[in-house]
Amino acid sequence: MKEYDLKQVIDEQSIRSRVKELARTIEADMRYCEDVVIIGILKGAFIFMADLVRHFSFPMQIDFIRIASYGTGHTSSGEIRVTKDIEVDIEGKHVLLIEDIVDTGLSLKWVMDYLKKRKPASLKVCVFIDKKERRECEVSVDYVGFEVQEGFLVGYGLDYSERHRELPGVYEVRFRNG
Ligand code: 5GP
Ligand code: MG
């Protein structure tokens, strides 16, 4: 593996206060919905989702979906399949989908289309990080934690070869020359 350094881009305290703020906004929008299902996209969203849902005071069901996308390096090719499906029936329910990062938007759009086939009453999306400038397709994101311009990020659930997910802050991977 190439040698690299990690440069912090979002600290733990900023995440904590932003997540609390986001949760308050979502709660105001969703607390009167009956039958809420929160669906996290594995693995990246696991920490964000865990922090977020602990601020909610409305009843909900929780589930996860895992997808694999084929591509080389750090970009997804758009060829996607489900490797772990949801287990809760979402028909007629209000779904909040939780994703770690929306980059080109291809993965999120694919998952949204996939879930819409199950006929939820509504489908909203909350992402921890939005890399808006790299968007390749139109995808509607309802709640965004942070906007980041560029760089490959790790920490707070995000990995580089399954490493660094445990870090409480977000870091940019900086490859060393040579
Ligand atoms: P998209 O389909 O929007 O291009 O890609 C989104 C997925 O690529 C995210 O769910 C995430 O798994 C991965 N991804 C995109 N940018 C980053 C990044 O900066 N760091 C990490 N760890 N994953 C990323
Ligand atoms: Mg992901």
Side-chain angles (χ1 to χ4, degrees), residues 63-151:
D63 207 345
F64 293 95
I65 189 169
R66 178 148 163 74
I67 57 165
S69 61
Y70 298 99
T72 46
H74 307 150
T75 54
S76 51
S77 64
E79 231 180 278
I80 294 164
R81 67 185 173 92
V82 171
T83 57
K84 186 243 166 278
D85 208 343
I86 51 166
E87 290 153 35
V88 168
D89 180 10
I90 60 169
E91 186 171 341
K93 297 177 184 172
H94 296 278
V95 172
L96 177 66
L97 184 62
I98 313 285
E99 170 67 312
D100 53 4
I101 289 191
V102 55
D103 188 21
T104 64
L106 295 171
S107 320
L108 191 56
K109 177 148 200 322
W110 193 93
V111 175
M112 288 176 75
D113 290 343
Y114 180 82
L115 293 177
K116 277 178 192 163
K117 290 181 193 150
R118 310 274 178 96
K119 301 188 173 67
S122 68
L123 176 60
K124 284 189 171 174
V125 178
C126 176
V127 303
F128 175 55
I129 286 170
D130 188 354
K131 286 182 175 174
K132 222 177 204 162
E133 297 181 3
R134 286 175 39 92
R135 202 62 38 86
E136 284 175 22
C137 65
E138 213 172 290
V139 56
S140 74
V141 177
D142 302 276
Y143 310 102
V144 174
F146 296 90
E147 277 184 27
V148 175
Q149 310 300 347
E150 58 193 320

Side-chain angles (χ1 to χ4, degrees), residues 8-24 48 51-52 55 128-129 144-148 156 168-171:
Q8 189 172 65
V9 290
I10 312 171
D11 64 59
E12 189 179 357
Q13 185 49 51
S14 307
I15 294 174
R16 196 176 301 139
S17 55
R18 183 65 188 127
V19 168
K20 205 169 175 180
E21 217 170 60
L22 258 186
R24 217 175 282 138
F48 177 47
D51 281 351
L52 198 64
H55 290 292
F128 175 55
I129 286 170
V144 174
F146 296 90
E147 277 184 27
V148 175
Y156 199 66
V170 173
Y171 296 78

